[in-house]
Amino acid sequence: MTTTAPSPYQVDAAGYYGPFGGAYVPEMLYPNVEELRNNYLKIIEDAEFQREFTQLLTDYVGRPTPLFLAQRLSAEIGTTIYLKREDLCHTGAHKINNTIGQILVAQRLGKRRIVAETGAGQHGVATATVCALMGLECIVYMGEVDIERQRPNVDRMRMLGAKVVPAKSGSRTLKDATNEAMRHWISNPTDTHYIIGSVVGPHPYPDMVARFQSVISAEIIRQLLHQTGRATPDFLLACVGGGSNAAGAFYHYLDEPSVRLVAAEAAGQGIDTGHSAATTALGKPGILHGASTILMQTADGQVTEPYSISAGLDYPGIGPQHAQLFATGRADFMSITDKQALDAAFQLSRLEGIIPALETAHALACLPLIGAKKDDVVVVCLSGRGDKDLATYTKHLEEYA
Amino acid sequence: MNRLTQLFQRKTADVLNVYFTAGFPQLHDTVPVLQALQDAGADLVEIGMPYSDPVADGETIQRSNQQALDNGMTVATLFEQLHDIRQQGITVPILLMGYLNPVVQFGIERFCQQCQAVGVDGLILPDLPLEVYEREYRPLFAQYGLQVVFLVTPQTSPARVRQLDALADGFIYLVAAAGTTGAQTDMNADVDAYLRRTQALGLRNPTLVGFGISDAASFAAASRHTTGAIIGSAFIRLLQQAPADGRTAAIQEFVRGVRPH
Ligand SMILES: Cc1ncc(COP(=O)(O)O)c(C=O)c1O
């Protein structure tokens, strides 16, 4: 699965994916970002780091996560569907693959405090968890709106000893929580590490987070080979908020053109309704949270407030690598509405006994739309479990009775 | 000659730079506030182009940005407001300060053209990476007579300070302490040591200290080892509080209060 020529889809020496990426940060963040950039590869490639990372993923997170042949769903859709069960990770989503990696980096950089942003609360919980594990102080910024709709995760973070700070500016969701976390890092430049929760932000974050999440596709290769005799699926589906579960699932397949990569974005109430988070459908190139990428914005370059039923997809941008996958046509981006996501969540629950996260439900909703044939192998990254979304699902129970 | 160059040739100490947000508190307040600052004796003025996500700014400037956007402020509107200021007697050097995305969406060359046309002297774009500036922006800024200002913080290494100083031609903006704008910086021994340390580097550009400068005491402390200082959040608070009909007098009093002589 490795290529010798540099991949057009991987980060280059300057920190870019084609025209996207870079580190567009004010000088106040420059030393922090530079410290990380100068050290992250050295740290990650160190054998002792790899040993500790792998051991924690195994003994603490519970990896490898299963690759499950979903037979009833396959029959219903008319293709062959495997679910990569990231929902079975400790804390209930793929987010912890990244936080384990980053807390080990933070320790090696001598940091004592951790700051993070969170949308659905899954990244916040995964950060609070590794901070408890390593005995580091943890501050999580979360939009006021998200604090309301993802209450169980707020309580989990508090239970784990983290301080949850409401972000009250702007749309009071993930974008604003990210702004506040960055401001916190600006004010605490020497002793604090910012554990960003997706493949967004200034270089080297998108690359570092993708590397930690790449364990997902490394396992898919092994498991698919074992179960089907082939290492490559025909289709690989994942939802994209910032894009970390997708980046991890796609990672080792980027240069395998036979694998069709499908990224599901949140259309919210519909891309033409003004209540949407479908970044590639509605956005343009620009700069957001320290990276050149594609983002939803006004003609005047003001960032638009996104909307999605799913807090983890309620973000006006995507990671720079995804912008490049979109611009080059390497991945297909699909817009999935709240309604389609709910349908898919109830379908999976009833057919397979798995309640998916609302974010994940957007990836599942692509299944009938991709034109997969009966014998095609389709892998869906089941990024997280739906316990945190039960309040939302409960409101719709009657409709699906 | 660029008005900034002229200013710093004439004046090498106690230079007062005042920041305010364009289109704040009301959409059409930009030019009246600019005029009042010039009349009150500000040496240069930094006009903030409002942005939805100003990560380097604290609450006061965040709120002024949001209010200006709610008032309908845009980059294009700002250039309309400024279009004949140089014919109307505004002689004070003007910097535009803002985040990169609105500038990029406006079109960088068109932006530089407009700056030159209305008589802007320099730019502060805090999230413009140095290498992008060198590669893409520097020739344009030079072509349209725009000077560039770079920020330096207490965490910036001496080697990088020198690199920034080599590329800047307006002044060096010394961020007083780690934090966003409007944080309460007391001009303590740490800040003093940092300003001394920077002074000892013997930079080619003038230096102005910003973040947390709010009154005569902090202005004097900041200016001791530098060319002067920048006031932002404290001035925005004044604009918030002053009644519209008493604003010119309040600005007079504010500037006189910061720099009594
Ligand atoms: C279960 C789950 N899936 C997906 C996402 C979206 O993030 P990303 O696009 O980085 O994978 C989230 C974010 O909170 C999540 O909780």
Side-chain angles (χ1 to χ4, degrees), chain A residues 290-331:
Chain A
S292 163
T293 185
I294 295 172
L295 63 135
M296 291 165 50
Q297 53 185 311
T298 65
D300 189 44
Q302 309 297 336
V303 184
T304 310
E305 297 185 356
Y307 162 79
S308 166
I309 192 173
S310 140
L313 304 185
D314 200 350
Y315 185 70
I318 49 174
Q321 184 183 43
H322 290 293
Q324 173 74 342
L325 295 178
F326 173 73
T328 57
R330 175 65 189 94

Side-chain angles (χ1 to χ4, degrees), chain A residues 92-95 118-123 174 197-199 213 239-247 310-313 322 357-360 382-385 388:
Chain A
H94 67 293
K95 296 282 180 186
T118 196
Q122 285 304 118
H123 174 61
L174 180 52
S198 191
V199 284
Q213 294 292 0
C239 65
V240 171
S244 66
N245 86 89
S310 140
L313 304 185
H322 290 293
L358 265 168
E359 290 77 17
T360 313
L382 205 83
S383 59
R385 69 180 187 221
K388 69 184 179 59

Side-chain angles (χ1 to χ4, degrees), chain A residues 38-90:
Chain A
N38 287 338
N39 291 292
Y40 85 109
L41 286 180
K42 242 183 309 184
I43 291 174
I44 294 175
E45 283 164 3
D46 175 64
E48 174 52 26
F49 177 96
Q50 278 300 327
R51 194 198 59 74
E52 199 175 344
F53 181 54
T54 307
Q55 182 168 9
L56 283 168
L57 288 186
T58 308
D59 300 340
Y60 189 69
V61 176
R63 304 205 71 92
T65 59
L67 183 72
F68 173 66
L69 174 60
Q71 297 196 27
R72 298 187 68 213
L73 183 66
S74 295
E76 181 77 18
I77 305 279
T79 185
T80 309
I81 300 165
Y82 288 86
L83 304 175
K84 180 59 177 160
R85 299 289 309 275
E86 294 302 298
D87 61 317
L88 295 177
C89 288
H90 178 41

Side-chain angles (χ1 to χ4, degrees), chain A residues 318-343:
Chain A
I318 49 174
Q321 184 183 43
H322 290 293
Q324 173 74 342
L325 295 178
F326 173 73
T328 57
R330 175 65 189 94
D332 293 326
F333 282 71
M334 304 189 111
S335 306
I336 300 297
T337 62
D338 292 354
K339 175 74 172 66
Q340 289 172 299
L342 284 170
D343 288 350

Side-chain angles (χ1 to χ4, degrees), chain A residues 1 67 69 79-82 217-236 252-253 256-261 330 372-379:
Chain A
M1 292 292 135
L67 183 72
L69 174 60
T79 185
T80 309
I81 300 165
Y82 288 86
S217 67
E219 288 177 6
I220 295 174
I221 289 170
R222 280 205 313 274
Q223 293 167 325
L224 206 58
L225 192 61
H226 181 71
Q227 294 184 38
T228 69
R230 49 186 280 204
T232 56
D234 297 293
F235 294 87
L236 183 46
H252 295 288
Y253 293 118
E256 294 284 336
S258 68
V259 182
R260 274 190 58 188
L261 306 177
R330 175 65 189 94
K373 293 190 282 294
K374 182 151 192 326
D375 293 333
D376 283 344
V377 171
V378 181
V379 173

Side-chain angles (χ1 to χ4, degrees), chain B residues 56-228:
Chain B
D57 287 296
E59 268 182 47
T60 301
I61 294 183
Q62 281 174 44
R63 266 192 257 113
S64 71
N65 275 241
Q66 195 50 54
Q67 188 168 331
L69 292 174
D70 293 345
N71 291 342
M73 197 65 204
T74 65
V75 176
T77 304
L78 176 59
F79 285 127
E80 278 164 34
Q81 292 179 346
L82 299 181
H83 88 277
D84 65 348
I85 49 167
R86 296 306 185 190
Q87 288 76 49
Q88 300 299 322
I90 297 286
T91 54
V92 69
I94 295 174
L95 294 155
L96 293 191
M97 181 277 171
Y99 294 83
L100 197 51
N101 196 50
V103 173
V104 168
Q105 302 308 322
F106 190 80
I108 182 64
E109 174 136 28
R110 180 168 159 238
F111 180 82
C112 292
Q113 269 166 356
Q114 291 284 304
C115 282
Q116 185 180 47
V118 304
V120 167
D121 303 288
L123 299 173
I124 308 180
L125 302 170
D127 56 349
L128 170 63
L130 201 56
E131 65 283 358
V132 177
Y133 168 70
E134 268 194 275
R135 196 175 58 231
E136 294 172 31
Y137 288 44
R138 194 183 188 188
L140 280 175
F141 287 14
Q143 183 185 341
Y144 294 100
L146 298 168
Q147 299 194 341
V148 68
V149 170
F150 289 123
L151 274 59
V152 155
T153 81
Q155 277 72 43
T156 311
S157 70
R160 184 162 165 90
V161 176
R162 290 197 187 287
Q163 194 188 1
L164 292 161
D165 184 46
L167 286 169
D169 48 11
F171 57 87
I172 291 291
Y173 190 137
L174 297 175
V175 175
T180 51
T181 55
Q184 223 33 60
T185 313
D186 53 351
M187 288 293 143
N188 58 25
D190 285 352
V191 180
D192 200 68
Y194 152 63
L195 298 181
R196 261 178 215 279
R197 202 163 71 228
T198 310
Q199 187 183 30
L201 292 174
L203 303 184
R204 57 190 276 270
N205 282 288
T207 50
L208 298 181
V209 188
F211 286 40
I213 315 297
S214 60
D215 53 16
S218 48
F219 182 83
S223 307
R224 196 153 47 217
H225 311 294
T226 65
T227 318

